Amino acid sequence: MSILLLGISSSVWAIAAQDYVMPIIWLVILLAIVSIDNPHEFQFFLKRFSQIGVTLISISLLQIIFRRAGTVVLAVHQFPLVYSEGLREAILLWIRFMILFVLARVFAQVSLFHFLLFMNKSRFSLEMSLLLLTTLKLIPFIFTEAKRALWFLCFRGINIRQLSLRHKFWALKKLLYPLLMRGMHYTSYSALALELRGYGKRGAYRIPQAYPLQGIDWILILFIIGVNSIGIFQIF
Amino acid sequence: MLNQLRTHFPEGRHYLVFQRHEDEINSYFEQALYTRFQFLHKNELWSKASEQLPHWGRLIGWVPDHFQLLFLSESVEMEIAEAIALKKNQFTVGLAEIEAANLLLTKLKIAHLAKRNPFFLSQGETKMLWLLCQWAKFPEHLIIGNLPAHLSQQRLPLVFDFLTASDQLAQELGFHGPTIILGCEHSQHECYSPLLEHITWEVRDQWPLSNEDNFSA
């Protein structure tokens, strides 16, 4: 509940804000949560984020080049290169992507069972909850199996770097078949697991396990309300 | 690793190696060939390090034990035929490769599995198929850490016959047979006696390589 509120608040401010202050505040809060929770993972997270750096730089440059509104920030030989609107959008783009990345990391730390408890206590049907969570669980499974299939392909002696474009396409086709077979195998077991967890049971079903808000959740909720209040006050 | 294999297990003979426990050799190769190549970042897919695995894959055949095997073809004979085609640097499978695959399946007396989907084989059949695929790469060294595992008493003599006739069969197909390294526990040595009747097999008291070694091509 508290993490959901955190996600909604930070996302809304990241998308809707027209200045830097609130998005940067939310980004700092999220990064602090990640680094406090697991300092070692923080470095790993930064490394993962840097992998999309090239893409973000390209999009930022497009924003800077093609948004020609506002005051001139940089001019070369009296030719205006960078406008304030373009620069603002480029910086906000980085902040929004970082917030998205950190939020994904924060949500990934929550166990699927806690997701199920939350959805059950929020009166979502058991069927929808189980289907959604099974679909979410399928995504890392596909990545894992794709990596394994790639290993088996390489262990056959196929060096993908040295293949021509046509043979790279052939290699990709070879990877799809085991993914399909393993995926079908996985989903058949998932279907059995869903049945055992009450999928298809008629009527509303409430999981008897309690899922109350902890002290830390209340502190976080109050903190989120406080930061949002400051942001709204700042606007008006 | 390749240099050490060539040093400790020179070609010309096959080796039966006594290991301290049934997973010693398989653990070594799982660490050397699988664990260190589980790519964590997509950049590593295209890095120089990623070229080492295909290079080793061409020169080393490995038949693991507790390992979930994956096949890339729709039928057993295509799986073996593709391994033979790749040895010839071909990406398409021709009639010659399919005939060679069927010959290998007949030698191992599992020709009835030729058209079956590899994903629906039993554990023993999967192991035999994987053994054939690794052998059909005609690597320098073919390592089988624990041969009797998952193989029934009826299938084990078939595999022994196949391994005994390995060099001759490879010559028939126009290739050089691999140097076979079998792992064995001291308690199991009697079941390998049919192999030791042939003079090309040599017994080694222990597995000479360890995971602390520097893995260099």
Side-chain angles (χ1 to χ4, degrees), chain A residues 9-28:
Chain A
S9 299
S10 54
S11 304
V12 166
W13 281 108
I15 293 166
Q18 295 300 311
D19 63 359
Y20 306 115
V21 176
M22 286 307 292
I24 287 176
I25 288 173
W26 277 112
L27 181 62
V28 167

Side-chain angles (χ1 to χ4, degrees), chain B:
Chain B
M1 177 174 65
L2 281 173
N3 290 334
Q4 286 171 329
L5 275 176
R6 285 167 184 155
T7 305
H8 290 287
F9 303 101
E11 69 170 287
R13 303 183 74 80
H14 302 304
Y15 302 90
L16 183 68
V17 179
F18 284 108
Q19 44 189 352
R20 284 174 288 185
H21 55 86
E22 64 178 15
D23 285 329
E24 184 181 10
I25 295 175
N26 279 334
S27 301
Y28 173 83
F29 281 100
E30 187 166 343
Q31 174 69 23
L33 293 174
Y34 183 74
T35 309
R36 66 189 291 255
F37 286 105
Q38 283 302 289
F39 304 114
L40 297 174
H41 303 289
K42 65 173 188 270
N43 294 339
E44 290 177 350
L45 288 173
W46 318 111
S47 69
K48 279 207 163 289
S50 67
E51 292 188 355
Q52 209 171 33
L53 180 60
H55 174 63
W56 285 358
R58 278 190 291 274
L59 299 174
I60 297 174
W62 173 47
V63 182
D65 194 14
H66 305 292
F67 198 78
Q68 194 165 42
L69 298 170
L70 214 62
F71 299 102
L72 305 180
S73 304
E74 294 168 12
S75 68
V76 167
E77 68 176 2
M78 282 302 290
E79 188 74 29
I80 301 168
E82 278 184 5
I84 298 171
L86 282 167
K87 180 66 183 176
K88 298 176 186 175
N89 293 320
Q90 295 169 5
F91 285 89
T92 49
V93 169
L95 210 57
E97 287 79 40
I98 294 178
E99 282 176 4
N102 282 312
L103 172 68
L104 293 178
L105 288 168
T106 309
K107 291 286 182 190
L108 212 45
K109 299 203 173 41
I110 49 171
H112 58 285
L113 299 177
K115 302 293 183 191
R116 290 265 298 271
N117 188 325
F119 282 89
F120 298 117
L121 299 177
S122 70
Q123 223 164 6
E125 289 164 349
T126 300
K127 185 167 183 174
M128 291 172 86
L129 171 59
W130 184 257
L131 170 68
L132 278 179
C133 291
Q134 293 299 294
W135 188 90
K137 290 193 308 189
F138 301 101
E140 279 187 13
H141 292 87
L142 174 62
I143 296 109
I144 308 171
N146 188 1
L147 181 61
H150 307 303
L151 291 181
S152 62
Q153 291 299 318
Q154 289 81 32
R155 286 210 163 117
L156 203 52
L158 299 175
V159 177
F160 282 150
D161 290 340
F162 178 82
L163 295 177
T164 309
S166 164
D167 293 331
Q168 187 186 349
L169 194 53
Q171 278 179 6
E172 276 180 40
L173 294 172
F175 294 100
H176 191 260
T179 300
I180 300 173
I181 302 168
L182 286 184
C184 165
E185 278 190 289
H186 286 277
S187 57
Q188 289 177 325
H189 70 277
E190 283 181 6
C191 78
Y192 290 90
S193 50
L195 281 178
L196 297 177
E197 289 169 8
H198 297 267
I199 57 169
T200 52
W201 283 86
E202 187 179 310
V203 176
R204 292 290 174 88
D205 288 333
Q206 61 182 9
W207 175 246
L209 307 181
S210 70
N211 288 116
E212 286 81 33
D213 296 334
N214 185 19
F215 297 117
S216 59

Side-chain angles (χ1 to χ4, degrees), chain A residues 71-90:
Chain A
T71 56
V72 176
V73 173
L74 178 68
V76 174
H77 297 301
Q78 294 185 340
F79 179 77
L81 271 183
V82 178
Y83 284 82
S84 60
E85 286 287 317
L87 188 63
R88 182 174 62 86
E89 285 301 320

Side-chain angles (χ1 to χ4, degrees), chain A residues 158-175:
Chain A
I158 298 170
N159 188 344
I160 296 173
R161 270 165 60 99
Q162 293 177 357
L163 292 181
S164 64
L165 193 62
R166 187 165 71 95
H167 290 138
K168 279 191 173 105
F169 180 67
W170 172 89
L172 186 63
K173 271 200 319 177
K174 293 306 289 181
L175 289 177

